[in-house]
Amino acid sequence: MQNMKISQKVKNLKPSPIRKVFDKVGQLKKRGVKISDFSIGRPFFDTPAIIKEETKKALEKGMVHYAGSSGTIELRKAIARRIFIDKGIEYDFDEIIVTIGGTEGMFITIQTLLSPGDEVIVPDPMYVYYKGWISYAGAKCIPLPLKEEDFSLDIEELKKRINSSTKMILLNSPHNPTGSVFSRQDLEKIVKLSKEYDLFILSDEIYQRITYNNCKAFSIASFPEMKERTIISDSFSKTYAMDGWRIGYLAAPREIISQIAKLHQHTISCPNTFIQSGATTALNQDQQYVDDMVKEFTRRRELIIDCLDKMKIPFVEPKGAFYVFPSIREFGLSSEEFADYLLEEARVAVVPGSAFGNSGEGYIRLSFTSPYEEIEQGLKRMEIAIGRLRKDRINL
Ligand code: PLP
């Protein structure tokens, strides 16, 4: 009876399918089962020591009380400086707000900018929460399937989806779950369309500094006159292995950010005070630790793509982020059935592609952030399990 009184908007939200895998793996690990974990999207590195040290000092100094709602001026200035270095865009500190990770930042942006009936075009497959955030605002998520051959944007298909209700395009490059990095040429075409149809761009740049083989991920806000219609969401979770710290930021022109800041205040009051001290250190220090981490991901990426090649499983080489998204269509199983098979038969945890939207069915997402040896062992077991599955199918 009580359940009937719960908001329909909340009832419509679906729990993250990744959390489901996470819980399953957690239970198996608790029972002592050794799992090779390719399911979780976080760096298996510790947060750099200097960041932890500065945070401890902040605690000792008594930074344990409420602070400004949009974040400390020191951190917002450090963010503006970092954005200028990395993306070449100028922001004043008051065009930035510090958020509880990219999650809060994107949620409040979507709730601030969208009204019921608005449409948002989102490349599909897509990060697990996007659709829920959009529907919570009463708006409609319009999936834009990525091209199967290379997971690039299909601009002709994008044009077909724009109508008078379209309010926003949500981009995520480097892309979770495919590892695709959208090309400069395609972004230029989106720039033109967004100006022609007066659209917002929400640009999720959480993996921007994680790219391979000299591939560069461009921020769409860096194109001429694009800052005024773009909201950048970024986070410390991936770049600095700080996912558990829950800190990120939004950058957008004053007229937009000041509106988002109101909802931010109503939602969280202010971000965690002492954590901001660690985050400021993360940005102001020599960035060698980021380069070192990406170098190690490069090694793990090579390992995984060599093995997938050997197993003759089709995939597109990831250019960024830390995921590869191979096709499992030949096995005639749904992506969820295939993921369950790998967990049971190979003790390898992956995320079914269907978790990322309709275009993800027929694929699985492998994250290559686990320790090298764990990936190596998991791939060996996966090769045997896949060999068995292929044999079974021949004998059917
Ligand atoms: N956006 C993308 C594409 C992600 O993959 C993630 C996390 O995996 C997030 C946003 C949210 O990250 P956080 O809230 O930890 O900053």
Side-chain angles (χ1 to χ4, degrees), residues 18 41-42 99-106 126-130 133 172-177 204-207 233-238 242-244 246-249 322-323 365:
I18 300 186
R42 73 159 176 87
T99 58
I100 308 298
T103 303
E104 188 236 344
M106 296 192 71
M126 67 187 78
Y127 180 53
V128 287
Y129 293 125
Y130 290 165
W133 293 338
N172 166 224
S173 173
H175 184 248
N176 177 8
D204 181 352
E205 301 182 3
I206 191 165
Y207 297 104
S233 169
D234 206 335
S235 164
F236 293 77
S237 293
K238 320 287 176 178
M242 289 173 71
D243 44 289
R246 310 309 303 131
I247 186 157
Y249 57 88
F322 34 59
Y323 309 108
R365 188 191 77 173

